[in-house]
Amino acid sequence: MTSDSEQESSSPKCMDSTQKPTVITEKMPTPEQVRLLISTWDSLTPNERKLFLQQPGNEFAAGIVDSLFWMQCITRTKDEQDQINPFKHFPRYPYFTVLHNVWLKEPILFIEKSRTMMVSWWSAAETLHYVMTHQPAKAIFWALDEARALTLLDYARVLYEQQDDTLKQIFPLERPLDRQSYNRLELKDGGILIALPGKDPDRIRSEHPTIVIIDEAAFIANGGESFDIALASRVPKMMCISSAAPGWFYQITKGARPISLEPYL
């Protein structure tokens, strides 16, 4: 993997991290305009995207069309161990660029993680940003038990609350955070994130989700069944994340072979 100086992210550069990021537009875009923006963005080449973001009046668009830019410039995570400055932007580690681009291009992603990689935070961020910008999308955070599933939902709550106020105006909540159900995050235009314990895989089928995130997948006894049901239900995007452990997750990933990362840089 290359260093930060060698790896150029496809995301636009954000301002100095000591300044509060600001996304300004004189008039809030409607949901229809947001959908048109995303559709237009998806059809542009990388050079056309750079030119688009450089056009006066389009500055706010980066936080909508580029989830990695949103993570690294617009919102903040929470570091529980830092009592002085707990809220921080995602670090500009090169592997986040690779993970982000793989997630955009692949419908199913398996990730072997370690705690220091912040992959659970990253998965919550990608999920929240997609649901916000593709409403009425629905996402499920699936984990070993309810407490672990709620941890991912809490990450999403922090990321929503810590983003720039303009993005919160563009993507308002159905109700204030303190009036939301403990295991759901609902947006005004139909986007929903749900935390579910990994006990009844049929819940995945009944919820008809757009995204399923299975965290610490190797430790869920029926994790393989849950994955099979999500696959059979044609869930458009799935991500399985886990620390190393024997089981169904390892059975799938053990045959992986190195490939060139060039298509994802």
Side-chain angles (χ1 to χ4, degrees):
M1 189 69 69
T2 55
S3 67
D4 282 308
S5 61
E6 296 170 319
Q7 174 65 56
E8 182 181 356
S9 171
S10 59
S11 299
K13 296 293 189 295
C14 54
M15 64 180 63
D16 187 280
S17 60
T18 60
Q19 299 175 324
K20 177 178 173 56
T22 304
V23 183
I24 300 176
T25 179
E26 293 182 359
K27 184 178 180 181
M28 293 298 106
T30 65
E32 292 75 19
Q33 289 172 322
V34 170
R35 284 192 285 271
L36 178 60
L37 171 62
I38 294 169
S39 175
T40 301
W41 179 263
D42 289 342
S43 68
L44 299 179
T45 67
N47 285 336
E48 289 172 336
R49 290 179 176 184
K50 291 180 181 179
L51 291 174
F52 175 82
L53 293 175
Q54 291 170 359
Q55 295 298 312
N58 287 349
E59 296 86 355
F60 77 95
I64 295 175
V65 299
D66 190 330
S67 56
L68 187 61
F69 177 87
W70 175 78
M71 293 179 220
Q72 296 177 332
C73 303
I74 303 297
T75 191
R76 292 176 171 85
T77 65
K78 184 177 182 180
D79 183 354
E80 301 283 0
Q81 296 181 337
D82 189 341
Q83 300 299 313
I84 298 176
N85 180 34
F87 297 106
K88 303 178 177 70
H89 297 305
F90 272 80
R92 298 184 71 86
Y93 295 150
Y95 67 81
F96 279 136
T97 299
V98 176
L99 286 174
H100 168 72
N101 289 334
V102 172
W103 175 241
L104 292 181
K105 295 179 180 181
E106 303 294 341
I108 302 172
L109 184 58
F110 278 69
I111 303 175
E112 295 179 345
K113 70 170 185 176
S114 67
R115 181 178 177 83
T116 57
M117 290 177 66
M118 293 181 62
V119 172
S120 293
W121 270 104
W122 170 78
S123 69
E126 291 283 10
T127 302
L128 172 61
H129 188 273
Y130 186 93
V131 171
M132 284 197 309
T133 58
H134 294 78
Q135 298 187 60
K138 179 188 289 187
I140 291 177
F141 293 127
W142 190 260
L144 179 63
D145 52 36
E146 186 175 64
R148 288 174 174 84
L150 288 172
T151 294
L152 291 178
L153 186 64
D154 287 343
Y155 290 169
R157 290 173 182 266
V158 169
L159 292 162
Y160 180 88
E161 188 63 22
Q162 287 295 313
Q163 69 182 332
D164 188 89
D165 288 342
T166 302
L167 270 293
K168 286 188 276 190
Q169 293 177 51
I170 295 173
F171 304 112
L173 297 174
E174 176 66 21
R175 295 176 298 281
L177 282 175
D178 59 1
R179 292 175 53 200
Q180 298 250 355
S181 172
Y182 79 99
N183 67 341
R184 297 167 75 95
L185 178 61
E186 300 184 42
L187 292 119
K188 187 174 182 180
D189 293 311
I192 304 174
L193 294 89
I194 308 172
L196 293 175
K199 295 180 180 179
D200 180 7
D202 282 328
R203 285 293 302 275
I204 294 176
R205 194 190 338 260
S206 64
E207 290 290 350
H208 305 289
T210 312
I211 297 175
V212 171
I213 306 295
I214 305 179
D215 194 28
E216 291 296 5
F219 299 92
I220 302 176
N222 60 4
E225 182 184 357
S226 303
F227 175 76
D228 288 344
I229 287 178
L231 197 62
S233 302
R234 300 183 183 277
V235 174
K237 299 284 283 184
M238 286 187 282
M239 187 188 305
C240 299
I241 310 165
S242 189
S243 307
W248 74 275
F249 182 91
Y250 175 71
Q251 291 299 315
I252 291 177
T253 60
K254 71 176 183 178
R257 296 292 181 269
I259 63 170
S260 172
L261 292 179
E262 186 174 351
Y264 304 109
L265 299 179

Coordinates of all heavy atoms in Angstrom, one line a residue, residues 134-194:
H134 N -30.1 8.4 -1.0 CA -30.8 7.6 -1.9 C -32.2 7.2 -1.2 O -32.6 6.1 -1.3 CB -30.0 6.3 -2.2 CG -28.8 6.6 -3.1 ND1 -27.6 7.0 -2.5 CD2 -28.6 6.4 -4.4 CE1 -26.7 7.1 -3.5 NE2 -27.3 6.8 -4.6
Q135 N -32.8 8.1 -0.6 CA -34.1 7.8 0.1 C -35.2 7.5 -1.0 O -35.1 8.1 -2.0 CB -34.5 9.0 1.0 CG -33.5 9.3 2.1 CD -33.9 10.3 3.1 OE1 -35.0 10.2 3.7 NE2 -33.2 11.4 3.1
P136 N -36.0 6.5 -0.6 CA -36.3 5.9 0.6 C -35.5 4.5 0.8 O -36.1 3.5 0.9 CB -37.8 5.6 0.6 CG -38.1 5.4 -0.8 CD -37.1 6.2 -1.6
A137 N -34.2 4.6 0.8 CA -33.4 3.4 1.1 C -33.5 2.9 2.5 O -33.8 3.7 3.4 CB -31.9 3.6 0.7
K138 N -33.3 1.6 2.7 CA -33.3 1.1 4.1 C -32.1 0.2 4.3 O -31.7 -0.5 3.4 CB -34.6 0.2 4.3 CG -34.6 -0.5 5.6 CD -35.8 -1.5 5.7 CE -37.1 -0.8 5.7 NZ -38.2 -1.8 5.9
A139 N -31.5 0.3 5.5 CA -30.3 -0.4 5.8 C -30.5 -1.2 7.1 O -31.2 -0.7 8.0 CB -29.0 0.5 5.9
I140 N -29.9 -2.3 7.2 CA -29.9 -3.1 8.4 C -28.5 -3.3 8.9 O -27.6 -3.7 8.2 CB -30.5 -4.5 8.2 CG1 -32.0 -4.4 7.9 CG2 -30.3 -5.5 9.4 CD1 -32.7 -5.7 7.6
F141 N -28.3 -3.0 10.2 CA -27.0 -3.3 10.9 C -27.3 -4.6 11.7 O -28.1 -4.7 12.6 CB -26.6 -2.2 11.9 CG -26.2 -1.0 11.2 CD1 -26.8 0.2 11.6 CD2 -25.2 -0.9 10.3 CE1 -26.4 1.4 11.0 CE2 -24.8 0.2 9.7 CZ -25.4 1.4 10.0
W142 N -26.6 -5.7 11.3 CA -26.9 -7.1 11.8 C -25.6 -7.5 12.6 O -24.5 -7.5 12.1 CB -27.1 -8.0 10.6 CG -27.6 -9.4 10.9 CD1 -26.8 -10.5 11.0 CD2 -28.9 -9.8 11.2 NE1 -27.7 -11.6 11.2 CE2 -29.0 -11.2 11.4 CE3 -30.1 -9.1 11.2 CZ2 -30.1 -11.9 11.6 CZ3 -31.3 -9.8 11.5 CH2 -31.3 -11.2 11.7
A143 N -25.8 -7.9 13.8 CA -24.6 -8.3 14.6 C -25.0 -9.4 15.6 O -26.1 -9.9 15.6 CB -24.1 -7.0 15.4
L144 N -24.0 -9.8 16.4 CA -24.1 -11.0 17.2 C -25.3 -10.8 18.2 O -26.0 -11.8 18.5 CB -22.8 -11.2 18.0 CG -22.8 -12.4 19.0 CD1 -23.0 -13.7 18.3 CD2 -21.5 -12.4 19.8
D145 N -25.4 -9.6 18.7 CA -26.5 -9.4 19.7 C -27.0 -7.9 19.5 O -26.4 -7.2 18.7 CB -26.1 -9.6 21.1 CG -24.8 -8.9 21.5 OD1 -24.6 -7.8 21.0 OD2 -24.0 -9.5 22.3
E146 N -28.1 -7.6 20.2 CA -28.6 -6.3 20.0 C -27.7 -5.1 20.3 O -27.6 -4.1 19.7 CB -29.9 -6.1 20.8 CG -30.7 -4.8 20.5 CD -32.0 -4.7 21.2 OE1 -32.0 -4.7 22.4 OE2 -33.0 -4.7 20.5
A147 N -26.9 -5.3 21.4 CA -26.0 -4.3 21.9 C -25.0 -4.0 20.8 O -24.6 -2.8 20.6 CB -25.3 -4.8 23.1
R148 N -24.4 -5.0 20.1 CA -23.4 -4.7 19.1 C -24.1 -4.1 17.9 O -23.4 -3.3 17.2 CB -22.7 -6.1 18.7 CG -21.8 -6.5 19.8 CD -21.2 -7.9 19.5 NE -20.2 -8.4 20.4 CZ -20.4 -8.9 21.6 NH1 -21.7 -9.1 22.0 NH2 -19.5 -9.3 22.4
A149 N -25.3 -4.5 17.5 CA -26.0 -3.9 16.4 C -26.3 -2.4 16.7 O -26.1 -1.5 15.9 CB -27.3 -4.6 16.1
L150 N -26.6 -2.1 18.0 CA -26.9 -0.7 18.4 C -25.7 0.1 18.4 O -25.7 1.3 18.2 CB -27.5 -0.7 19.8 CG -29.0 -1.2 19.8 CD1 -29.4 -1.3 21.3 CD2 -29.9 -0.3 19.1
T151 N -24.5 -0.5 18.5 CA -23.2 0.2 18.5 C -23.1 0.9 17.1 O -22.7 2.0 16.9 CB -22.0 -0.7 18.8 OG1 -22.1 -1.1 20.2 CG2 -20.7 0.1 18.6
L152 N -23.3 0.1 16.0 CA -23.2 0.6 14.7 C -24.3 1.7 14.5 O -24.0 2.7 13.8 CB -23.4 -0.5 13.7 CG -22.3 -1.6 13.6 CD1 -22.7 -2.6 12.6 CD2 -21.0 -1.0 13.2
L153 N -25.5 1.5 15.0 CA -26.5 2.6 14.8 C -26.1 3.8 15.6 O -26.3 4.9 15.1 CB -27.8 2.1 15.3 CG -29.0 3.0 15.1 CD1 -29.3 3.2 13.6 CD2 -30.3 2.5 15.8
D154 N -25.4 3.7 16.7 CA -25.0 4.8 17.5 C -23.9 5.6 16.7 O -23.8 6.8 16.7 CB -24.4 4.4 18.8 CG -25.5 4.0 19.8 OD1 -26.7 4.4 19.6 OD2 -25.2 3.3 20.8
Y155 N -23.0 4.8 16.0 CA -22.0 5.5 15.1 C -22.7 6.3 14.1 O -22.3 7.5 13.8 CB -21.2 4.4 14.4 CG -20.2 3.6 15.3 CD1 -19.6 2.5 14.8 CD2 -19.9 4.0 16.6 CE1 -18.7 1.8 15.6 CE2 -19.1 3.3 17.4 CZ -18.4 2.2 16.9 OH -17.6 1.5 17.6
A156 N -23.8 5.8 13.5 CA -24.5 6.5 12.5 C -25.2 7.8 13.1 O -25.2 8.8 12.4 CB -25.6 5.6 11.8
R157 N -25.7 7.6 14.3 CA -26.3 8.8 14.9 C -25.3 9.9 15.2 O -25.5 11.1 14.9 CB -26.9 8.4 16.3 CG -28.2 7.5 16.2 CD -28.6 7.1 17.6 NE -29.7 6.2 17.5 CZ -31.0 6.6 17.7 NH1 -31.3 7.9 17.9 NH2 -32.0 5.7 17.7
V158 N -24.1 9.5 15.6 CA -23.0 10.5 15.8 C -22.6 11.2 14.5 O -22.5 12.4 14.4 CB -21.8 9.8 16.5 CG1 -20.5 10.8 16.4 CG2 -22.0 9.4 17.9
L159 N -22.5 10.4 13.5 CA -22.1 10.9 12.2 C -23.1 11.9 11.6 O -22.8 12.9 11.0 CB -21.8 9.8 11.2 CG -20.6 8.9 11.5 CD1 -20.7 7.6 10.8 CD2 -19.3 9.7 11.2
Y160 N -24.4 11.5 11.8 CA -25.5 12.4 11.4 C -25.4 13.7 12.1 O -25.4 14.8 11.5 CB -26.9 11.8 11.6 CG -28.0 12.7 11.1 CD1 -28.4 12.7 9.8 CD2 -28.5 13.7 11.9 CE1 -29.3 13.6 9.3 CE2 -29.5 14.6 11.5 CZ -29.9 14.5 10.2 OH -30.8 15.4 9.7
E161 N -25.3 13.6 13.4 CA -25.3 14.8 14.3 C -24.1 15.7 14.1 O -24.2 17.0 14.2 CB -25.5 14.4 15.8 CG -25.7 15.6 16.7 CD -27.0 16.3 16.5 OE1 -27.9 15.7 15.9 OE2 -27.1 17.5 16.9
Q162 N -23.0 15.1 13.8 CA -21.7 15.9 13.7 C -21.5 16.4 12.3 O -20.5 17.2 12.1 CB -20.5 14.9 14.0 CG -20.4 14.7 15.5 CD -20.1 15.9 16.3 OE1 -19.2 16.7 16.0 NE2 -20.8 16.1 17.4
Q163 N -22.3 16.1 11.3 CA -22.1 16.7 10.0 C -22.5 18.1 9.9 O -23.2 18.6 10.8 CB -22.9 15.9 8.9 CG -24.4 16.0 9.0 CD -25.2 15.2 8.0 OE1 -24.6 14.9 6.9 NE2 -26.4 14.8 8.3
D164 N -22.1 18.8 8.9 CA -22.4 20.2 8.8 C -23.9 20.5 8.8 O -24.7 19.7 8.3 CB -21.8 20.7 7.4 CG -21.9 22.2 7.3 OD1 -21.0 22.9 7.7 OD2 -22.9 22.7 6.8
D165 N -24.3 21.6 9.4 CA -25.8 21.9 9.5 C -26.5 21.9 8.2 O -27.7 21.6 8.1 CB -26.0 23.2 10.3 CG -25.6 23.1 11.8 OD1 -25.6 22.0 12.3 OD2 -25.4 24.1 12.4
T166 N -25.8 22.4 7.2 CA -26.5 22.4 5.8 C -26.9 21.1 5.4 O -28.0 20.9 4.8 CB -25.5 23.1 4.8 OG1 -25.1 24.4 5.2 CG2 -26.2 23.2 3.5
L167 N -26.1 20.0 5.6 CA -26.4 18.7 5.2 C -27.6 18.2 6.0 O -28.5 17.5 5.5 CB -25.2 17.7 5.3 CG -24.3 17.6 4.1 CD1 -25.0 16.9 3.0 CD2 -23.8 18.9 3.6
K168 N -27.7 18.6 7.3 CA -28.8 18.2 8.1 C -30.1 18.9 7.6 O -31.2 18.3 7.8 CB -28.6 18.5 9.6 CG -27.6 17.6 10.2 CD -27.4 17.8 11.7 CE -26.5 18.9 12.1 NZ -26.2 19.0 13.5
Q169 N -30.0 20.1 7.1 CA -31.2 20.7 6.5 C -31.6 20.1 5.2 O -32.8 19.9 4.9 CB -30.9 22.2 6.3 CG -30.6 23.0 7.5 CD -30.3 24.5 7.2 OE1 -30.9 25.1 6.4 NE2 -29.2 24.9 7.8
I170 N -30.6 19.6 4.4 CA -30.9 18.9 3.1 C -31.6 17.6 3.4 O -32.5 17.1 2.7 CB -29.7 18.8 2.3 CG1 -29.2 20.2 1.9 CG2 -29.9 18.0 1.0 CD1 -27.8 20.2 1.1
F171 N -31.0 16.9 4.4 CA -31.5 15.5 4.8 C -32.0 15.5 6.2 O -31.4 14.9 7.1 CB -30.4 14.5 4.6 CG -29.7 14.5 3.3 CD1 -28.4 15.0 3.1 CD2 -30.4 14.1 2.1 CE1 -27.8 15.0 1.8 CE2 -29.9 14.1 0.9 CZ -28.6 14.5 0.7
P172 N -33.2 16.1 6.5 CA -33.7 16.2 7.8 C -34.2 14.8 8.3 O -34.5 13.9 7.6 CB -34.9 17.2 7.7 CG -35.4 17.0 6.3 CD -34.1 16.7 5.5
L173 N -34.2 14.7 9.7 CA -34.8 13.5 10.3 C -36.3 13.6 10.3 O -36.9 14.6 10.3 CB -34.2 13.4 11.7 CG -32.7 13.3 11.9 CD1 -32.4 13.3 13.4 CD2 -32.2 12.0 11.3
E174 N -36.9 12.4 10.5 CA -38.3 12.3 10.6 C -38.8 12.9 12.0 O -39.8 13.6 12.1 CB -38.8 10.8 10.6 CG -40.3 10.6 10.8 CD -41.2 11.2 9.8 OE1 -40.7 11.4 8.6 OE2 -42.3 11.5 10.0
R175 N -37.9 12.7 13.0 CA -38.1 13.2 14.3 C -36.8 13.5 14.9 O -35.8 12.9 14.5 CB -38.9 12.2 15.3 CG -40.3 11.9 14.8 CD -40.9 10.9 15.7 NE -40.2 9.6 15.7 CZ -40.3 8.7 14.7 NH1 -41.2 9.0 13.7 NH2 -39.6 7.6 14.6
P176 N -36.7 14.4 15.9 CA -35.4 14.7 16.6 C -34.8 13.4 17.1 O -35.5 12.4 17.4 CB -35.7 15.6 17.7 CG -37.0 16.3 17.2 CD -37.7 15.3 16.5
L177 N -33.5 13.3 17.2 CA -32.8 12.1 17.7 C -33.3 11.6 19.0 O -33.5 10.4 19.2 CB -31.3 12.3 17.8 CG -30.5 12.3 16.4 CD1 -29.1 12.7 16.7 CD2 -30.6 11.0 15.8
D178 N -33.6 12.5 19.9 CA -34.1 12.0 21.2 C -35.5 11.5 21.2 O -36.0 11.0 22.2 CB -33.9 13.2 22.3 CG -34.7 14.4 21.9 OD1 -35.4 14.4 20.9 OD2 -34.6 15.4 22.7
R179 N -36.2 11.6 20.1 CA -37.6 11.1 20.0 C -37.6 9.9 19.0 O -38.7 9.4 18.7 CB -38.5 12.2 19.5 CG -38.7 13.3 20.6 CD -39.6 14.4 20.0 NE -40.8 13.9 19.4 CZ -41.5 14.6 18.6 NH1 -41.1 15.8 18.1 NH2 -42.7 14.1 18.1
Q180 N -36.5 9.5 18.6 CA -36.4 8.3 17.7 C -36.5 7.0 18.5 O -36.0 7.0 19.6 CB -35.2 8.4 16.8 CG -35.1 9.6 15.9 CD -35.3 9.2 14.4 OE1 -35.4 8.1 14.0 NE2 -35.4 10.3 13.6
S181 N -36.9 5.9 17.8 CA -36.9 4.6 18.5 C -35.4 4.3 18.7 O -34.5 4.6 18.0 CB -37.5 3.6 17.5 OG -37.3 2.3 18.0
Y182 N -35.2 3.5 19.8 CA -33.8 3.2 20.2 C -33.0 2.4 19.2 O -31.8 2.5 19.2 CB -33.8 2.5 21.6 CG -34.1 1.0 21.5 CD1 -33.1 0.1 21.5 CD2 -35.4 0.6 21.3 CE1 -33.4 -1.3 21.4 CE2 -35.7 -0.7 21.2 CZ -34.7 -1.7 21.3 OH -35.0 -3.0 21.2
N183 N -33.8 1.7 18.4 CA -33.1 0.8 17.4 C -33.3 1.2 15.9 O -33.1 0.4 15.0 CB -33.5 -0.7 17.6 CG -35.0 -0.9 17.2 OD1 -35.8 0.1 17.2 ND2 -35.3 -2.1 17.0
R184 N -33.7 2.5 15.7 CA -34.0 2.9 14.4 C -33.5 4.4 14.2 O -33.6 5.2 15.2 CB -35.5 2.9 14.0 CG -36.0 1.5 14.0 CD -37.5 1.5 14.0 NE -38.1 1.8 12.6 CZ -38.4 0.9 11.7 NH1 -38.3 -0.4 12.0 NH2 -38.9 1.3 10.5
L185 N -33.1 4.7 13.0 CA -32.8 6.1 12.7 C -33.6 6.4 11.4 O -33.3 5.8 10.4 CB -31.3 6.3 12.5 CG -30.9 7.7 12.0 CD1 -31.2 8.8 13.1 CD2 -29.4 7.8 11.8
E186 N -34.6 7.3 11.5 CA -35.5 7.5 10.4 C -35.3 8.9 9.9 O -35.3 9.9 10.6 CB -36.9 7.3 10.8 CG -37.2 5.9 11.3 CD -38.6 5.6 11.7 OE1 -39.5 6.1 10.9 OE2 -38.9 5.0 12.7
L187 N -35.2 9.1 8.6 CA -35.1 10.3 7.9 C -36.5 10.7 7.3 O -37.3 9.9 7.1 CB -34.0 10.3 6.8 CG -32.6 10.1 7.4 CD1 -32.0 8.9 6.9 CD2 -31.8 11.3 7.1
K188 N -36.6 12.0 7.1 CA -37.9 12.5 6.7 C -38.4 12.0 5.4 O -39.6 11.8 5.2 CB -37.9 14.1 6.7 CG -39.2 14.7 6.4 CD -39.1 16.2 6.6 CE -40.5 16.9 6.4 NZ -40.4 18.4 6.5
D189 N -37.5 11.8 4.4 CA -37.9 11.3 3.1 C -37.9 9.8 2.9 O -37.9 9.3 1.8 CB -37.1 12.0 2.0 CG -37.3 13.5 2.0 OD1 -38.5 13.9 1.9 OD2 -36.3 14.3 2.0
G190 N -38.0 9.1 4.0 CA -38.2 7.6 4.0 C -36.9 6.8 4.2 O -37.0 5.6 4.2
G191 N -35.8 7.4 4.4 CA -34.6 6.6 4.7 C -34.6 6.0 6.1 O -35.0 6.8 7.0
I192 N -34.2 4.8 6.3 CA -34.3 4.1 7.6 C -33.0 3.3 7.8 O -32.6 2.6 6.9 CB -35.5 3.2 7.7 CG1 -36.8 4.0 7.4 CG2 -35.6 2.6 9.1 CD1 -38.1 3.1 7.4
L193 N -32.5 3.4 9.0 CA -31.4 2.5 9.4 C -31.9 1.7 10.6 O -32.4 2.4 11.6 CB -30.1 3.2 9.7 CG -29.4 3.9 8.6 CD1 -30.0 5.4 8.4 CD2 -27.9 4.0 8.8
I194 N -31.8 0.4 10.7 CA -32.3 -0.4 11.7 C -31.2 -1.3 12.3 O -30.4 -1.9 11.6 CB -33.4 -1.3 11.2 CG1 -34.5 -0.5 10.4 CG2 -34.1 -2.1 12.3 CD1 -35.5 -1.4 9.7

